[in-house]
């Protein structure tokens, strides 16, 4: 397996609009607009002016843009102060910074550490 520094990533630029689904096994940075579902195994970085109009499934995410759809994150989901999610969220860890908007319900999975404590 490649180290984090060697791992491939994909970028959707600020002036790019994607009409359709995006799937992949890499990390993904979105600065433009995606009208479709996003499914990746790696980390999703959604920049401040970026928009996803569709459901998202990812390994981890740092969001500063807008998502109109459900988000299913395997590990940690961070909503920065400019982030906006209109949809339901599923994640092991959720961090919502002051100023972020979240309209929906949240399902937090039990982590292996929290299961051991019981």
């Amino acid at each position: 397996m490649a180290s984090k520094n060697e791992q491939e990533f994909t970028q959707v630029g600020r002036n790019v609009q994607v009409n359709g689904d995006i799937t992949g096994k890499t990390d993904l940075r979105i600065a433009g607009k995606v009208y479709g579902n996003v499914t990746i195994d790696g980390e999703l970085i959604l920049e401040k002016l970026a928009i996803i109009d569709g459901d998202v499934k990812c390994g981890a995410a740092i969001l500063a843009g807008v998502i109109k759809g459900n988000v299913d994150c395997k590990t940690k989901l961070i909503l920065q102060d400019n982030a906006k999610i209109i949809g339901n969220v599923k994640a092991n860890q959720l961090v919502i910074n002051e100023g972020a908007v979240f309209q929906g319900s949240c399902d937090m999975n039990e982590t292996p550490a929290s299961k051991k404590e019981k």
Side-chain angles (χ1 to χ4, degrees), residues 19 23-24 38 51 58-59 68 74 77 80 95 101 107-108:
N19 295 309
T23 60
V38 175
I51 297 171
C58 59
K68 296 177 184 175
K74 291 179 186 172
L77 172 61
Q80 295 182 338
V95 177
V101 175
D107 179 13
M108 293 186 66

Side-chain angles (χ1 to χ4, degrees), residues 73-78 89 91-95 108-109 111:
C73 190
K74 291 179 186 172
T75 58
K76 191 172 190 176
L77 172 61
I78 300 172
V89 167
N92 280 343
Q93 296 177 328
L94 176 62
V95 177
M108 293 186 66
N109 304 321
T111 62

Side-chain angles (χ1 to χ4, degrees), residues 48-97:
K48 185 176 179 179
L49 300 176
I51 297 171
I52 297 175
D53 192 347
D55 293 338
V56 173
K57 289 185 180 181
C58 59
I62 300 171
L63 309 178
V66 176
I67 295 179
K68 296 177 184 175
N70 298 322
V71 178
D72 185 349
C73 190
K74 291 179 186 172
T75 58
K76 191 172 190 176
L77 172 61
I78 300 172
L79 303 183
Q80 295 182 338
D81 58 356
N82 296 308
K84 183 175 185 179
I85 295 180
I86 301 171
N88 300 323
V89 167
K90 183 177 181 182
N92 280 343
Q93 296 177 328
L94 176 62
V95 177
I96 302 176
N97 290 332

